Amino acid sequence: MTRFLRTQQTMAFPHGRLIASRDGVNYVLAPDGWDHLGGQRPKHAAVLSREEAEDWCEREGWDLHLLDEVPTPS
């Protein structure tokens, strides 16, 4: 199961960044797809429903199919 989170807003990312957590491994959505996020998830990341993650993608101009392409940890 994949959980989605949104980081806090910053000047560089006014709507935060999208994080996906799958099997305890975290990934951040980057211009070239999902990148492994080392360490623990950001402390103040807000949990998002799938619908909220879709809304975030639409607002930010990301393809919704990316939500189904979160890597499976090996």
Side-chain angles (χ1 to χ4, degrees), residues 6-19 28-31 35 37 42 56 59-60 62:
R6 182 183 49 80
T7 64
Q8 287 186 313
Q9 299 171 338
T10 64
M11 287 183 68
F13 300 100
H15 296 113
R17 296 190 74 188
L18 189 64
I19 295 174
V28 62
L29 189 55
D35 284 340
L37 183 62
W56 184 94
R59 183 176 51 248
E60 296 296 308
W62 292 90

Side-chain angles (χ1 to χ4, degrees), residues 1 8 13 20 22 26-27 43 46 58 61 64 71:
M1 181 176 140
Q8 287 186 313
F13 300 100
R22 179 179 248 177
N26 298 310
Y27 302 90
K43 289 183 182 182
E58 288 175 346
L64 295 179

Side-chain angles (χ1 to χ4, degrees), residues 17-59:
R17 296 190 74 188
L18 189 64
I19 295 174
S21 181
R22 179 179 248 177
D23 298 331
V25 178
N26 298 310
Y27 302 90
V28 62
L29 189 55
D32 59 347
W34 294 101
D35 284 340
H36 182 261
L37 183 62
Q40 298 180 0
R41 73 177 182 138
K43 289 183 182 182
H44 301 290
V47 176
L48 300 178
S49 67
R50 169 68 186 231
E51 183 177 336
E52 290 170 322
E54 289 174 0
D55 291 345
W56 184 94
C57 285
E58 288 175 346
R59 183 176 51 248

